[in-house]
Amino acid sequence: MTEQQHPDHAGHDHAGHHAVEQHPTKHHGHDHAAHAHHGAGSAKVSWRMAASATLHCLTGCAIGEVLGLVIATALGWATAPSIALAVVLAFFFGYLLTLLPLRRAGVSWGSAVKLALAADTVSIVVMEIVDNGVMLAIPGAMDAGLTSALFWGALAFALLVAFLVTTPINKWIIGKGKGHAVVHAYHH
């Protein structure tokens, strides 16, 4: 599609396209390859786009963290196995929230898994290090029960800190055409 045919793309640097664009996918009448360059490979990545990508990862991480800690607490597990389960589930749900839209967009399982790994791994790793670090740093947070305001307050604070730390990292990564940029074409 030329810039005359798609006027909102006029002036964009089309040289920084990433690998997703080489295999255009269409559904619902949208040519996703035509949209794939928004922010990718360019220094003009918005904070809104970075925050959106981070919030996407945070949602999966939060689901996994909460579920992992609920299961571990119900089973009476110690801190280390509780964190391990929460981290495993955070990765699972983080990737799942990327895989499902890719599959709905018609991407094969193999390609969807590769895209999810490329899109979310750095973000989830940073988020998990930060939020678990914060939880461990707050005295008594990991030992507080699920009915404790300390536990839920500490977890909410830990996730907020993780979001604030990860957003600028995602902005930089997306600006390099990596991370969430590799799946951006499929989010329309």
Side-chain angles (χ1 to χ4, degrees):
M1 189 174 279
T2 67
E3 290 178 359
Q4 288 84 19
Q5 292 170 316
H6 209 350
D8 63 325
H9 291 147
H12 278 63
D13 174 15
H14 294 272
H17 293 262
H18 45 77
V20 171
E21 295 175 76
Q22 295 172 7
H23 304 287
T25 299
K26 292 184 179 190
H27 78 97
H28 303 296
H30 294 345
D31 179 356
H32 291 285
H35 297 289
H37 69 277
H38 288 284
S42 136
K44 296 180 183 178
V45 175
S46 72
W47 282 103
R48 182 178 181 168
M49 179 185 216
S52 175
T54 306
L55 188 58
H56 174 89
C57 275
L58 181 69
T59 302
C61 286
I63 292 168
E65 293 265 334
V66 170
L67 184 58
L69 292 175
V70 166
I71 291 169
T73 300
L75 296 175
W77 289 5
T79 299
S82 297
I83 290 175
L85 179 62
V87 168
V88 166
L89 290 176
F91 273 91
F92 174 78
F93 284 102
Y95 290 137
L96 185 66
L97 291 182
T98 297
L99 282 171
L100 294 176
L102 289 171
R103 290 291 297 143
R104 280 195 299 267
V107 178
S108 71
W109 274 109
S111 294
V113 167
K114 288 176 189 172
L115 286 167
L117 291 171
D120 295 332
T121 300
V122 171
S123 184
I124 295 171
V125 166
V126 171
M127 208 166 281
E128 287 304 298
I129 290 169
V130 172
D131 75 46
N132 284 295
V134 170
M135 284 295 287
L136 288 169
I138 297 174
M142 287 302 297
D143 296 323
L146 296 176
T147 58
S148 166
L150 173 61
F151 172 80
W152 293 106
L155 183 58
F157 178 69
L159 292 171
L160 173 64
V161 172
F163 176 81
L164 294 174
V165 169
T166 309
T167 298
I169 294 169
N170 277 338
K171 185 176 188 301
W172 179 77
I173 291 169
I174 293 167
K176 299 289 185 192
K178 309 267 188 226
H180 184 76
V182 301
V183 296
H184 181 70
Y186 300 96
H187 285 267
H188 294 283

